[in-house]
Amino acid sequence: MPNIINFAHRGASGCCPENTLAAFQKALELGATGIETDVQLTKDGRIVVIHDESLARTAGLNKLVKDTDYDELASLDAGSWFAPAFQSERIPTLEQLLDLLQQAEAILNIELKNGIFPYAGMEEKVIALVRAYRMEERVIISSFNHYSLVRCKQLAPEIRTGVLYMEGLYRPWEYAASLQAEALHAYKYAVTPEWIAEAAAHGIAYHPFTVNDTAEMEQLINAGAAGIITDFPDRLTEVLTRRGA
């Protein structure tokens, strides 16, 4: 059976505060073979790892990431909202995550959060860092902003890209090929076994999100998904181990 990538969604976000070093470290301990994360730019141009455009939900500050300097953002508590034990967690930089993964073999799926705010220069900055860490072969860049994915391919044809979408793409493998993308990162309900098979026949991999139910994991594995994005990598590890993967 082929190796199915166990992508930990924002790290092991089912048991740790999302997109923190604690969540990424825990994901690796729980058997994740991939890390999925989100990046944005601070006011002074640093690449930071955070999902929401606002700092309010996970860091308690009612400001946008793009309007906040890195020094202020780095001082925020990004763990207490999840549980008091994580009070010391901070919003990491992409460099910190890349440093962590130097000692692991995991794939890194970097989602560019540039669908609402375009973040001029984000593609160049992310690609420069990936190259500096020599992680080109272990990175997939994804985004809901498909113009950005085309830009990434122009800048770095050697780095894989994944097309994020929620629903309703017609013949999505053809669309992915038109963007020179290697993968479809589809919402789990926008996936069928027939589409997975057709995409695979055209050299396009499916990595559905966000799959936390073990029965759904089993269905997607049976259908031929190349990877699964989950908040609970331990559950997927258990399913894959049981199946002898």
Side-chain angles (χ1 to χ4, degrees), residues 113-135:
K113 294 295 292 185
N114 53 2
I116 294 177
F117 303 119
Y119 288 120
M122 173 184 266
E123 297 91 348
E124 287 85 349
K125 284 174 180 279
V126 169
I127 286 166
L129 262 187
V130 170
R131 285 175 167 164
Y133 279 83
R134 298 182 178 173
M135 291 271 287

Side-chain angles (χ1 to χ4, degrees), residues 33 37 67 71 77 118 128 161 167 187 197:
T33 53
T37 194
D67 296 333
D71 285 349
D77 170 3
T161 56
E167 59 193 9
Y187 183 46

Side-chain angles (χ1 to χ4, degrees), residues 1-16:
M1 135 175 227
N3 287 330
I4 292 158
I5 305 169
N6 180 347
F7 284 107
H9 182 239
R10 309 178 199 171
S13 55
C15 61
C16 295

Side-chain angles (χ1 to χ4, degrees), residues 175-205:
Y175 180 63
S178 77
L179 306 180
Q180 297 183 284
E182 289 81 3
L184 291 162
H185 291 207
Y187 183 46
K188 63 183 181 180
Y189 295 127
V191 180
T192 70
E194 294 77 15
W195 297 341
I196 291 176
E198 188 73 31
H202 287 82
I204 305 293

